[in-house]
Amino acid sequence: MKNKLFIFLIFVIFSACGTTSNKILEEPESDRMRYFDLNNKEISEAEFQEKRSMANIAIQGDSINHKRLVPREESGTIANKQIFFGFLEKELNVELDSTLPIVIIFYPGKDTCNSGGIATKADRKRWYGELEKGLQKIANKPIYIYKDKEGLEERDVLQWKPDPDGTIERLFFKHHYPCSSFVVISENGNYISVFGEIVKEYIWKAVQMIK
């Protein structure tokens, strides 16, 4: 009888341990990844991946466990183009042709998107050289702006300039978009911003569209 009671107690103890262990291994609600659509409405991961496309880009939401969709492209108009052009010339020490569009490449700081890859400095120098060659006569030479310089040492083949008082970020880049982004501003003050990893052909097309 004592042996049977002992075996029963051992069974109860191990059963309880197993239950506790399962609860410990469950992912806490606060750590669970949550997904949000363009209207910041929570959706399932499957819906999120389905809605994610060339037109939408995923960014971090209100916490590190939130992913949110935002449009990849945005357009608008600068209220006073002349003041803005003058501001850039003074703060960045550049000369601009006011009859041509401005192209700004924006580096938000190091992230998982822009810190990977196998491109060398020579590769980047060639890439930016091709970009600038394609913009000759149709736009000003691109301006390269950074928010946070970390990671730029690895790609320092250009004259990157700090964002003066965060002005460029406030006007065109309201979130931390992965990799880098760009904005093209026409001589009339209209602009097109494209967020996420940049492609030369997209920049050339944006210049043609804005003109």
Side-chain angles (χ1 to χ4, degrees):
M1 184 68 180
K2 289 183 179 180
N3 288 339
K4 290 183 178 180
L5 179 60
F6 176 76
I7 293 172
F8 175 74
L9 289 173
I10 292 296
F11 174 77
V12 170
I13 290 171
F14 272 89
S15 298
C17 288
T19 304
T20 304
S21 177
N22 288 338
K23 288 184 178 180
I24 290 172
L25 292 175
E26 288 179 2
E27 185 179 28
E29 182 67 21
S30 59
D31 293 338
R32 181 177 63 84
M33 186 62 71
R34 299 171 64 186
Y35 301 89
F36 299 84
D37 65 11
L38 293 170
N39 298 314
N40 210 24
K41 176 185 176 182
E42 187 167 3
I43 56 177
S44 68
E45 181 180 3
E47 289 178 289
F48 184 87
Q49 298 299 345
E50 184 180 346
K51 293 176 182 291
R52 188 175 180 178
S53 64
M54 288 297 293
N56 302 320
I57 187 171
I59 65 169
Q60 182 177 308
D62 297 333
S63 79
I64 59 173
N65 297 319
H66 291 186
K67 286 187 178 181
R68 176 184 166 194
L69 289 174
V70 294
R72 185 179 291 273
E73 183 178 313
E74 188 175 276
S75 60
T77 303
I78 296 174
N80 194 315
K81 183 268 300 182
Q82 289 183 331
I83 291 178
F84 180 70
F85 273 44
F87 169 81
L88 292 180
E89 289 186 316
K90 178 182 178 182
E91 296 297 326
L92 301 177
N93 192 27
V94 294
E95 291 186 10
L96 299 172
D97 184 339
S98 61
T99 66
L100 293 175
I102 293 174
V103 175
I104 297 176
I105 310 293
F106 186 77
Y107 177 80
K110 189 174 183 179
D111 57 37
T112 55
C113 180
N114 59 37
S115 59
I118 59 174
T120 64
K121 286 188 176 182
D123 294 332
R124 292 191 178 95
K125 187 174 183 179
R126 180 168 55 253
W127 191 94
Y128 285 108
E130 292 171 354
L131 168 65
E132 293 183 4
K133 185 176 180 180
L135 293 174
Q136 287 178 356
K137 298 181 180 180
I138 64 171
N140 282 280
K141 183 177 179 179
I143 301 173
Y144 303 98
I145 299 292
Y146 67 83
K147 174 184 178 180
D148 185 339
K149 200 171 185 179
E150 183 184 6
L152 277 179
E153 309 82 19
E154 304 164 8
R155 56 176 67 205
D156 192 15
V157 296
L158 302 164
Q159 188 178 4
W160 291 90
K161 299 175 182 289
D163 186 1
D165 298 322
T167 302
I168 303 303
E169 181 184 24
R170 281 197 306 274
L171 286 174
F172 308 110
F173 308 107
K174 300 177 180 64
H175 306 284
H176 181 121
Y177 305 101
C179 285
S180 298
S181 302
F182 74 86
V183 60
V184 175
I185 307 155
S186 77
E187 57 272 30
N188 298 319
N190 298 322
Y191 68 84
I192 298 174
S193 302
V194 179
F195 312 121
E197 191 170 4
I198 58 177
V199 179
K200 295 191 297 287
E201 290 75 12
Y202 290 176
I203 299 176
W204 296 335
K205 183 179 180 180
V207 170
Q208 296 291 353
M209 288 176 62
I210 208 77
K211 286 174 66 67

